[in-house]
Amino acid sequence: MAWNGRLQPWFDRANFVIKPSLKTRLVLMSLFVAALPIALVSFMLEHEGQETLTAEKTDKLFALTHILDEELGPGGFDGLLADLPSGTSDRAAAVRYLNGKLRRITDEVAHADPGVGVGYYSRKLDAIISYGPSEQYGGTVGQSITAGHPGREVLDTGNPKIAYGSMVRGQVLNAMLPIKRHGEVTGYIWANEFTEAVERQKDAIREAVGYGVVAGLLLALVATFFTSRGLTNDVNLIIRSLDQMKADLRVTVPPMKNELGDIGNAINRMAQDLLDARSLTENVLSSVADGIIAVDLEGNVLMFNPAAEDLYNVAGKDVIGRSYQELFEERKGMASVMLDTLKTGRSHIGENLEIASLGSDRKITASSSVLRNGEGQWIGAVVVLKDVSERDRLMGQVMRADRLAALGELTAGIAHEIRNPLTSIRGFMQYLSENNTVEEWREYAPLIIRQVDNLNHIIEGLLVFGRPWPPRIARVQLNRLVEEMAFLTKGKSRARIDLDLGDDVPVIDADGEALKQVLLNLLINALQAMGDEDSGVVTVSTRRKTDEVMIAVKDNGVGLPDKFKGKVFDPFFSTKPAGTGLGLAMVLRIVDAHQGTITFESKEGVGTTVTILLPVARKSIEETVS
């Protein structure tokens, strides 16, 4: 018997799951798992760093504007212009005067923080008053800002503003503070720094974060590598053990730690269970008396138990893995059942076969079906071969014994039925032999004739029962026949006969006269079972049952005790004092001749139901009653 082939798919599935590069997948997965949070953290750090840098620059620049605002004094530009010498009231002179007052302040602030530019702008004069450091930006004094300059928004709204962009100095981060005196915006103060310097600081943050990300990924890679190496070593050990289990289930996975150790223990337990199951199944298959053969989808032999070896007179080891059809096609009938199932998927139950084996003819019954795996997939076919030679021989002996017993009962019944009239005739003749008067002959002669008629009636019944006769098949309207027989028997009892006839009962192939005899016997028996009681009811029903028709005769009479139910169709069995016991026996023969079936159900004190099923069309009109 080949078991490794049946276990192979399970091992293949296990290897399919494990064989792809586990180490590579673990490294990639770990890198992904590590890189995602590192990337998110680095992005957040960079974003937060840039936001912090921007906020720090903004706070510093606005702090410088506030210093310049305090240095301007409470009077603002107007307070300083109050000291302007009389006679110099033009715009240029005012700008030069204010510049002289404020240039020192803006230069000091600018020089204190290299890279920063600061200054004042007058709304009334619409001009830059001072821009420090003056040695670089003094030439801008007196210029007006453009219409789109962010300073215009500060002058109009009176709200501080921080802006990136190209301004008088170039690409700068510019903090602008409105100059408010007596509730009026008289100008604004700015402090700015080149964005290039800001970007350099942001790049420094990005670089630091980048180094951190790389370092984190390298650490994760190293940790993953060493972890995965140990893990894959354990997994490879499990794989090697599984490969060895294909050939020998006694191989075990070595002990390991952690969850892989639990997996190894589970595999070992499963292998032991498979080994136990295989041993049990092999023992069962080896011990069973029926031959069992299994083939795969290609028709190659998977299993060949000892009983099959005996039937085929061949060793199982010589046929495992070889083509079943090539090996046994010369064995008449043996290959067709299973190979037909393998080809069509159709099961066979109890097919009778005969093979020549070991010099004697053996009768075999074969039952085949599709072979499926645990997932329900079709993987082959299996056949069970049962040697019924001895069973048939014993059944033949039993049947002969039954026939002899039935013949004995029939003989005893005939002897009993004939003995009573013969005894009466002998008694009458003995009496008449001693009395020679004509009157006595005239008195007893009719009695003797009646007894002879009884004998003749019994003999005629036996002749009819025992003589084969061909049914005269014709097309019969069953419902019409039932109505006719019910009408003929109505007057034989005070009981009522009800008809429940199906509308769809078809015309059938049958011997109408024989069926009339069947119905007449059943109706008379039903009426006699109820006597002359007015409450008696006989119901005759007809129905169509696919390819058959049903006739049921039901009464509510006295019923039959259980001890008599098995004898109702036996010849000469009758519960009626004057009955011959041939009526139901003849009914059974007629129903059998019509290829039908009859059932008898009775309950004492409740009633009896006789049900007959007849085919609508006979299989062969030429058949005769045997």
Side-chain angles (χ1 to χ4, degrees):
M1 290 175 285
W3 282 93
N4 290 340
R6 299 179 64 184
L7 297 174
Q8 187 69 35
W10 183 90
F11 288 109
D12 290 343
R13 289 196 297 273
N15 284 338
F16 177 78
V17 174
I18 299 175
K19 276 186 176 178
S21 179
L22 181 61
K23 181 185 294 185
T24 302
R25 290 191 302 165
L26 286 173
V27 170
L28 292 176
M29 182 179 67
S30 299
L31 285 177
F32 174 77
V33 172
L36 183 60
I38 290 175
L40 290 175
V41 171
S42 62
F43 173 78
M44 294 174 61
L45 288 174
E46 180 185 352
H47 179 73
E48 289 294 330
Q50 292 183 6
E51 290 291 329
T52 302
L53 177 63
T54 302
E56 180 184 344
K57 294 292 184 182
T58 301
D59 292 342
K60 183 188 74 171
L61 294 176
F62 272 118
L64 296 177
T65 60
H66 282 290
I67 294 173
L68 293 176
D69 189 36
E70 290 180 1
E71 292 293 334
L72 186 59
F77 293 129
D78 291 339
L80 295 176
L81 289 175
D83 296 334
L84 184 66
S86 59
T88 54
S89 59
D90 60 332
R91 174 179 179 275
V95 170
R96 284 195 301 273
Y97 180 79
L98 291 173
N99 180 260
K101 293 284 188 179
L102 299 174
R103 182 176 56 203
R104 178 185 57 81
I105 299 172
T106 56
D107 283 345
E108 288 179 356
V109 172
H111 290 151
D113 195 351
V116 174
V118 296
Y120 294 96
Y121 192 89
S122 173
R123 183 177 190 180
K124 182 177 182 180
L125 299 176
D126 194 19
I128 296 174
I129 302 303
S130 175
Y131 202 155
S134 58
E135 64 271 15
Q136 293 180 358
Y137 307 113
T140 63
V141 174
Q143 295 180 10
S144 299
I145 61 176
T146 62
H149 194 284
R152 296 290 181 188
E153 182 181 345
V154 176
L155 294 174
D156 293 338
T157 63
N159 296 323
K161 184 175 179 63
I162 185 78
Y164 274 102
S166 178
M167 300 181 194
V168 175
R169 189 182 179 194
Q171 290 290 336
V172 295
L173 173 64
N174 199 16
M176 292 163 282
L177 180 70
I179 302 171
K180 295 182 181 180
R181 297 297 184 268
H182 309 295
E184 181 182 356
V185 178
T186 61
Y188 72 90
I189 304 169
W190 73 84
N192 58 40
E193 188 173 3
F194 285 114
T195 56
E196 181 181 354
V198 176
E199 291 300 326
R200 281 198 302 271
Q201 296 181 17
K202 289 184 177 180
D203 290 341
I205 294 175
R206 293 191 190 97
E207 186 177 355
V209 172
Y211 285 137
V213 170
V214 172
L217 290 177
L218 287 176
L219 288 174
L221 180 61
V222 171
T224 301
F225 175 78
F226 286 105
T227 302
S228 63
R229 185 173 66 175
L231 182 61
T232 51
N233 287 338
D234 290 342
V235 171
N236 288 331
L237 182 59
I238 294 176
I239 293 174
R240 288 193 297 271
S241 299
L242 287 173
D243 288 336
Q244 294 172 1
M245 285 181 184
K246 294 178 185 178
D248 186 1
L249 284 174
R250 290 183 292 272
V251 174
T252 59
V253 178
M256 292 179 288
K257 298 180 180 179
N258 303 324
E259 287 79 2
L260 285 178
D262 296 336
I263 294 175
N265 293 334
I267 292 175
N268 290 336
R269 288 194 298 271
M270 181 186 63
Q272 185 61 45
D273 291 342
L274 288 174
L275 185 62
D276 294 342
R278 186 182 72 177
S279 300
L280 176 61
T281 306
E282 286 180 343
N283 290 334
V284 171
L285 292 176
S286 299
S287 303
V288 72
D290 298 335
I292 301 176
I293 306 170
V295 297
D296 59 20
L297 291 175
E298 287 72 35
N300 298 321
V301 179
L302 292 175
M303 185 192 308
F304 207 85
N305 77 334
E309 295 177 358
D310 177 61
L311 288 174
Y312 281 98
N313 195 22
V314 65
K317 61 183 178 62
D318 296 333
V319 300
I320 294 295
R322 300 177 62 184
S323 171
Y324 181 87
Q325 185 171 12
E326 293 177 2
L327 288 168
F328 303 115
E329 60 183 355
E330 74 279 1
R331 311 265 181 142
K332 182 180 177 182
M334 291 301 290
S336 62
V337 174
M338 181 167 59
L339 293 183
D340 179 71
T341 296
L342 187 65
K343 180 179 179 180
T344 66
R346 182 174 59 248
S347 297
H348 295 273
I349 305 296
E351 297 282 349
N352 291 320
L353 308 172
E354 292 187 8
I355 61 172
S357 177
L358 300 177
S360 62
D361 291 338
R362 306 175 74 170
K363 293 183 179 180
I364 306 296
T365 62
S367 299
S368 62
S369 62
V370 170
L371 184 64
R372 301 184 185 275
N373 61 14
E375 298 176 353
Q377 297 173 337
W378 188 356
I379 61 172
V382 62
V383 65
V384 178
L385 306 172
K386 182 183 289 293
D387 187 349
V388 296
S389 305
E390 183 65 16
R391 185 201 67 183
D392 287 354
R393 186 184 66 80
L394 294 176
M395 287 182 62
Q397 292 180 352
V398 171
M399 291 176 65
R400 285 193 296 273
D402 288 343
R403 285 196 294 269
L404 290 174
L407 181 60
E409 291 181 3
L410 179 62
T411 303
I414 295 174
H416 176 75
E417 294 295 329
I418 293 178
R419 179 182 297 167
N420 292 334
L422 287 178
T423 300
S424 299
I425 293 173
R426 183 179 183 283
F428 289 136
M429 294 303 298
Q430 184 178 359
Y431 176 78
L432 291 175
S433 65
E434 298 173 357
N435 297 278
N436 296 324
T437 61
V438 175
E439 289 78 8
E440 288 179 337
W441 276 97
R442 288 176 179 174
E443 178 181 356
Y444 290 107
L447 297 177
I448 295 173
I449 293 172
R450 278 201 301 274
Q451 294 300 324
V452 173
D453 290 340
N454 287 339
L455 286 173
N456 187 51
H457 177 67
I458 293 171
I459 298 302
E460 285 180 354
L462 285 172
L463 290 174
V464 171
F465 178 74
R467 181 175 61 244
W469 53 272
R472 293 185 292 273
I473 301 301
R475 304 294 286 169
V476 175
Q477 293 280 357
L478 188 60
N479 284 349
R480 185 181 303 170
L481 188 147
V482 171
E483 292 173 345
E484 179 181 343
M485 299 312 298
F487 177 78
L488 291 176
T489 54
K490 274 185 179 179
K492 296 183 179 294
S493 173
R494 296 169 61 184
R496 188 175 78 250
I497 299 179
D498 291 341
L499 300 182
D500 179 18
L501 308 180
D503 296 333
D504 60 344
V505 175
V507 176
I508 66 172
D509 295 337
D511 185 335
E513 294 302 318
L515 291 185
K516 287 181 181 180
Q517 184 178 351
V518 168
L519 286 171
L520 182 62
N521 271 288
L522 295 180
L523 286 171
I524 290 176
N525 285 346
L527 292 173
Q528 290 176 349
M530 294 179 294
D532 290 333
E533 296 183 6
D534 294 335
S535 59
V537 177
V538 178
T539 303
V540 184
S541 306
T542 60
R543 292 288 186 274
R544 177 164 190 166
K545 303 286 187 180
T546 312
D547 295 329
E548 297 177 313
V549 293
M550 181 200 75
I551 310 169
V553 179
K554 179 180 180 181
D555 65 64
N556 59 350
V558 296
L560 197 66
D562 292 340
K563 62 181 180 179
F564 295 144
K565 290 180 181 179
K567 300 181 179 181
V568 291
F569 295 112
D570 292 348
F572 298 109
F573 172 79
S574 177
T575 58
K576 295 177 289 186
T580 63
L582 293 175
L584 287 180
M586 182 58 66
V587 167
L588 178 61
R589 287 183 65 84
I590 294 173
V591 172
D592 287 342
H594 283 79
Q595 302 168 354
T597 59
I598 183 170
T599 57
F600 183 92
E601 297 179 6
S602 184
K603 187 172 183 180
E604 192 172 8
V606 177
T608 301
T609 301
V610 180
T611 304
I612 298 173
L613 290 176
L614 299 174
V616 174
R618 286 172 58 85
K619 294 180 181 179
S620 174
I621 295 180
E622 301 299 327
E623 283 186 345
T624 60
V625 180
S626 59

